[in-house]
Amino acid sequence: IVVLSASACTGDGIGVEFGSPASPSASTVPPESPSDASGHGIALDVDPVDTGEPRALAAMRALCEGPVPTSTDDDGAPRETPDDVAELESQVEQVRELEFLREVVVQPVSAGEIADKLEGAFDETYPKAFYDRRSVAWQTLGVIPRDVDIREALLAFQTGQVVGFYNPVDGELVYRADGDLDLVERVTLAHELTHAIDDQHFDLSRIDGVAARCRDEAFQAALGAVEGSAQFFSIKHLFEFPPADG
């Protein structure tokens, strides 16, 4: 599971840490309620599936299509850690009271490059047939409006508002950079470096097996622990190592 830092608030497996201009549905969910009289909805190619299972739990397991852990490292080439990021790494070690066991692959990129990396892994992370069925189910229950597609909303969010991410599959930390680190980028990097150091000591990929079995509640609990650690120590870092310009 790729752990993200973004400038919006969301659920469904995405960790959101700093700023809140809009939710992932803000640019995709219209003001009409789910019971809008027009009755118009999106057209998803979802056919009924007969699992042959007499129990709901067994049917859910049969329908499960979990995410596939996917590398986002384009070429696998080693990269030199920028000096300001190396300084942050040392500070995170002090705040987290752990040491990095190996070098973190750090890649500063543009917003467009972050979007390309995440979009390249999107189909494996969010299987289409599974999320099409979930969209129809949630529309039927009134959880989301009838013209909202969960995958489209997630894709719009990931390719438009993500500040940075750490991928346990290849140990790569990617962040949006356009010069000297500003406050948002410092908080983002402290957050993602906490993910990296936690991964090296505790193996964050262990929760991928939970997600692969579609155990949503257990996965969210595990993800809460992962994100809670990164959130806590990134804010602690901000207080213990405030930016020089205040």
Side-chain angles (χ1 to χ4, degrees):
I1 297 297
V2 177
V3 279
L4 309 174
S5 288
S7 54
C9 296
T10 181
D12 210 296
I14 296 179
V16 177
E17 299 9 49
F18 197 85
S20 55
S23 72
S25 59
S27 60
T28 57
V29 179
E32 292 82 18
S33 69
S35 58
D36 179 49
S38 65
H40 296 302
I42 57 176
L44 293 173
D45 185 17
V46 176
D47 296 322
V49 178
D50 183 5
T51 65
E53 298 287 351
R55 296 180 302 163
L57 181 59
M60 291 170 61
R61 288 172 177 167
L63 291 169
C64 174
E65 293 182 50
V68 177
T70 305
S71 173
T72 51
D73 191 353
D74 299 324
D75 54 19
R79 298 178 177 87
E80 184 176 350
T81 303
D83 291 341
D84 48 4
V85 178
E87 180 182 13
L88 282 172
E89 288 181 349
S90 175
Q91 295 169 353
V92 167
E93 286 182 320
Q94 296 175 60
V95 171
R96 188 64 180 89
E97 297 184 359
L98 293 172
E99 294 183 357
F100 285 102
L101 303 178
R102 55 188 175 274
E103 187 175 354
V104 180
V105 178
V106 179
Q107 186 178 14
V109 298
S110 67
E113 289 173 312
I114 284 184
D116 288 344
K117 282 176 173 287
L118 291 173
E119 189 170 3
F122 188 79
D123 286 341
E124 289 76 19
T125 306
Y126 300 98
K128 186 177 189 308
F130 180 83
Y131 276 88
D132 281 354
R133 291 196 301 268
R134 176 167 287 188
S135 291
V136 171
W138 285 14
Q139 291 167 15
T140 302
L141 293 171
V143 176
I144 58 176
R146 292 173 59 85
D147 56 356
V148 169
D149 180 336
I150 295 174
R151 286 183 88 249
E152 288 185 359
L154 286 168
L155 181 61
F157 170 74
Q158 288 199 9
T159 57
Q161 300 176 8
V162 170
V163 178
F165 66 85
Y166 172 75
N167 189 349
V169 172
D170 43 40
E172 180 185 54
L173 192 163
V174 178
Y175 71 99
R176 188 178 68 206
D178 51 10
D180 294 336
L181 296 178
D182 61 20
L183 179 61
V184 172
E185 289 163 348
R186 285 178 59 85
V187 172
T188 297
L189 281 168
H191 181 99
E192 300 305 331
L193 286 168
T194 301
H195 282 318
I197 202 168
D198 283 353
D199 183 38
Q200 292 185 11
H201 283 268
F202 309 114
D203 186 13
L204 300 187
S205 66
R206 290 185 297 166
I207 70 174
D208 289 337
V210 181
R213 296 191 296 275
C214 299
R215 297 177 58 197
D216 289 358
E217 292 183 358
F219 172 71
Q220 291 296 336
L223 189 66
V226 171
E227 291 298 334
S229 172
Q231 181 74 345
F232 176 82
F233 287 108
S234 63
I235 298 303
K236 185 177 181 182
H237 169 269
L238 180 62
F239 278 97
E240 293 192 11
F241 298 95
D245 56 7

